[in-house]
């Protein structure tokens, strides 16, 4: 069953560009939590189900996940123009900021306060990603495999990556592939 489309949508490719630029400028160390909040909760351009489905596809496509997501959202509303506008928004101004920060970092890299600040940003980024994961758990209640099975798969992925230190590619290929095939068999006529 396809989720109902959200009521709101971007007004133009320019709206996509500005929105994704704003998202990219907010997300140091990862913008997943910010994209979910902005696209689903604030702008309502996507339903929670659409976000979860699009995010799953974005993760298995080659390239940066959020760029893939921006491409899909832009394409959904304005085709190629929308996709290009969303990606340009994700990359243009943030690229200029990163280049300026690289120059500053090269100058101040030896400063212990700079190193400590960067370690702190890493912890915040991890917390944002974890918070987004927790927000997405309720959507698993609607998954064809069932809520309990999804939680078991999540636990297996966590153990494989965090405890057993199996590379993400292998975990994605084996557990992700198995989950996709299992789901496909459940929903196939």
């Amino acid at each position: 069953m396809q989720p109902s489309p959200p009521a709101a949508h971007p007004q133009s490719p320019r709206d996509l560009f500005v929105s994704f630029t704003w998202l990219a400028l907010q997300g140091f160390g990862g913008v997943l939590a910010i994209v979910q909040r902005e696209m689903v909760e604030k702008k309502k351009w996507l339903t929670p189900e659409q976000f979860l489905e699009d995010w799953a596809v974005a993760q298995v496509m080659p390239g940066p996940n959020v760029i893939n997501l921006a491409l899909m959202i832009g394409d959904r509303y304005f085709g190629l123009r929308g996709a290009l506008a969303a990606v340009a928004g994700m990359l243009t101004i943030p690229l200029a900021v990163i280049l300026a920060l690289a120059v500053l970092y090269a100058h101040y890299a030896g400063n212990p306060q700079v190193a400590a600040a960067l370690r702190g940003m890493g912890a915040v980024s991890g917390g944002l990603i974890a918070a987004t994961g927790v927000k997405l758990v309720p959507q698993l209640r609607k998954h064809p495999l069932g809520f309990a099975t999804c939680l078991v798969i999540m636990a297996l992925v966590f153990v494989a990556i965090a405890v057993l230190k199996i590379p993400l590619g292998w975990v994605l290929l084996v557990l992700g592939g198995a989950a996709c095939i299992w789901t496909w068999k459940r929903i196939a006529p």
Side-chain angles (χ1 to χ4, degrees), residues 140 147-164 171 175:
L140 296 177
F147 187 66
T149 304
C150 289
L151 291 179
V152 168
I153 293 170
M154 286 172 47
L156 288 172
V157 169
F158 177 80
V159 168
I161 294 172
V163 177
L164 301 176
V171 173
L175 292 175

Side-chain angles (χ1 to χ4, degrees), residues 4 11 28 36 39 49 53-54 60 62 98 101 110 123 153 169:
S4 60
Q11 299 303 308
F28 288 91
Q36 191 273 339
M39 297 291 122
E49 294 85 7
E53 290 171 6
D54 286 356
V60 297
I98 292 300
L101 289 173
I153 293 170

